[in-house]
């Protein structure tokens, strides 16, 4: 485990999060009105069918008490500023969000209070939290850029397994690692096999919310902070799909689903990607048909 890299990433995230949040209109009002920030793909992996729901809103007759995740204890791994965590609370889950960033947890806690949604948020290196975990969660959830910040995937998976009750599930939806061997122009630029070694980005965590516009701000997008530059570098780790599956199996979890997706949610990974309904993007015209996301569900044996 590379605690030095984690701490450097904490500093980088602490600086960029205010810029990210500056582009999102009244998130508390959006949540109070039944809004949520989740995509149908991760909800489907959680076992939630949203086919008849209004876009980015729960049905008007649904309350947390009657939601599809009602009564379940859910651990949101690397929860960032808590929008997805609180969206899961909208569906009835009793949520605990954990993130290494002080700024993220402060904002998540404030957002929960302003939205009137119950949630627990804990500032911790995820490895420290999992090392002390007891099997009290029915679901562990992670999505969209969670894995590249992990310096030891097997230790993470073992900790997740320890946090789950018998029969509990890990649900993961992540950008596909094969997509990140290319630059924005689809030129091979990076190794697929990271082998646990970090790539140091001297420009730090960027303001991808500004670059994505409305894609990552269903509550409404606004210009916010302009031309953000992060003086704190960050360290990212490339893990292969085989790394994912091996870590889960060695942790004693039973793999139930492994799915590739031909689209990316809320993110234009490459130039000239084709927009699809629902804030999704497919590969550019004439480009190879690469998988852009991968979903995984694994269960702890009873």
């Amino acid at each position: 485990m590379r605690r030095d890299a984690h701490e450097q990433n904490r500093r980088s995230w602490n600086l960029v999060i205010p810029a990210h949040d500056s582009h999102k209109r009244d998130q508390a009002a959006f949540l109070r009105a039944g809004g949520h920030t989740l995509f149908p793909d991760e909800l489907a992996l959680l076992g939630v069918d949203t086919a008849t729901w209004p876009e980015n809103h729960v049905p008007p007759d649904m309350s947390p008490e009657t939601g599809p995740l009602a009564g379940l204890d859910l651990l949101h791994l690397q929860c960032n500023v808590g929008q997805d965590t609180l969206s899961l609370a909208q569906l009835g889950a009793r949520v605990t969000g954990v993130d290494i960033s002080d700024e993220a947890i402060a904002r998540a806690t404030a957002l929960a209070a302003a939205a009137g949604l119950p949630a627990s948020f804990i500032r911790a290196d995820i490895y420290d939290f999992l090392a002390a975990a007891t099997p009290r969660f029915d679901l562990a959830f992670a999505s969209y850029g969670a894995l590249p910040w992990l310096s030891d995937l097997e230790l993470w998976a073992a900790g997740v397994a320890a946090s789950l009750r018998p029969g509990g599930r890990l649900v993961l939806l992540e950008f596909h690692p094969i997509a990140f061997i290319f630059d924005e122009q689809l030129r091979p630029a990076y190794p697929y096999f990271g082998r646990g070694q970090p790539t140091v980005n001297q420009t730090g965590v960027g303001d991808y919310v500004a670059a994505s516009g409305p894609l990552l701000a269903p509550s409404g997008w606004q210009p916010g902070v302009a031309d953000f530059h992060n003086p704190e570098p960050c360290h990212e780790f490339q893990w292969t799909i085989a790394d994912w599956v091996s870590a889960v199996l060695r942790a004693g979890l039973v793999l139930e689903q492994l799915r590739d997706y031909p689209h990316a949610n809320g993110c234009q990974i490459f130039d000239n990607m084709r927009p699809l309904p629902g804030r999704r993007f497919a590969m550019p015209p004439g480009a190879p048909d690469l998988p852009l996301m991968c979903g995984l569900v694994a269960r702890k044996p009873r």
Side-chain angles (χ1 to χ4, degrees):
M1 183 178 62
R2 288 286 305 273
R3 191 175 297 277
D4 59 329
H6 303 173
E7 284 300 302
Q8 180 56 44
N9 290 341
R10 179 180 66 84
R11 290 189 285 270
S12 194
W13 277 103
N14 279 347
L15 293 184
V16 76
I17 279 172
H20 287 177
D21 254 11
S22 74
H23 305 296
K24 303 166 188 173
R25 294 194 188 277
D26 197 339
Q27 299 171 80
F30 174 71
L31 290 164
R32 288 196 301 270
H36 70 80
T37 56
L38 302 164
F39 286 87
D41 298 302
E42 59 260 35
L43 288 167
L45 292 173
L46 286 162
V48 179
D49 181 4
T50 62
T52 61
W53 291 16
E55 187 173 5
N56 283 112
H57 284 76
V58 300
D61 60 346
M62 180 184 292
S63 68
E65 292 74 24
T66 62
L69 301 182
L72 298 179
D73 292 302
L74 185 147
L75 171 62
H76 189 180
L77 303 147
Q78 297 134 273
C79 67
N80 199 264
V81 292
Q83 299 162 103
D84 285 358
T85 321
L86 296 173
S87 296
L88 294 162
Q90 293 274 51
L91 307 184
R94 293 185 291 265
V95 296
T96 300
V98 182
D99 199 275
I100 197 170
S101 166
D102 319 76
E103 188 70 29
I105 291 300
R107 287 172 180 264
T109 302
L111 181 58
L117 288 167
S120 298
F121 287 104
I122 298 169
R123 206 247 34 113
D125 186 317
I126 194 64
Y127 290 98
D128 293 336
F129 177 85
L130 292 173
T134 57
R136 63 185 182 92
F137 294 103
D138 303 296
L139 288 167
F141 175 74
S143 66
Y144 304 116
L147 298 189
W149 305 107
L150 300 173
S151 62
D152 188 325
L153 200 58
E154 291 196 4
L155 185 60
W156 178 84
V160 170
S163 77
L164 291 171
R165 294 181 175 123
R169 291 179 294 148
L170 165 64
V171 175
L172 169 70
L173 184 61
E174 182 60 277
F175 294 117
H176 203 293
I178 199 68
F180 289 97
I181 69 173
F182 302 100
D183 65 14
E184 291 83 354
Q185 288 80 45
L186 271 171
R187 297 173 300 205
Y190 308 103
Y192 179 68
F193 296 99
R195 298 183 174 87
Q197 297 304 308
T199 298
V200 181
N201 183 348
Q202 295 296 340
T203 60
V205 184
D207 190 359
Y208 54 80
V209 180
S212 298
L215 299 174
L216 295 179
S219 64
W221 188 85
Q222 57 193 10
V225 172
D227 300 321
F228 173 81
H229 297 284
N230 198 330
E232 293 285 356
C234 62
H235 299 71
E236 298 178 64
F237 297 83
Q238 168 81 341
W239 301 108
T240 70
I241 295 296
D243 292 333
W244 298 14
V245 174
S246 295
V248 164
L249 296 178
R250 287 175 181 163
L253 301 178
V254 177
L255 186 64
E256 293 190 336
Q257 292 188 54
L258 186 66
R259 296 188 55 188
D260 285 342
Y261 299 82
H263 58 264
N265 288 340
C267 180
Q268 294 193 62
I269 300 173
F270 307 117
D271 293 342
N272 303 313
M273 292 186 77
R274 293 182 289 115
L276 301 174
R279 299 183 290 130
R280 294 170 166 173
F281 287 86
M283 291 294 291
D289 190 17
L290 296 178
L292 297 176
M293 300 192 305
C294 186
L296 180 152
V297 179
R299 189 180 297 271
K300 185 172 182 176
R302 293 187 182 277

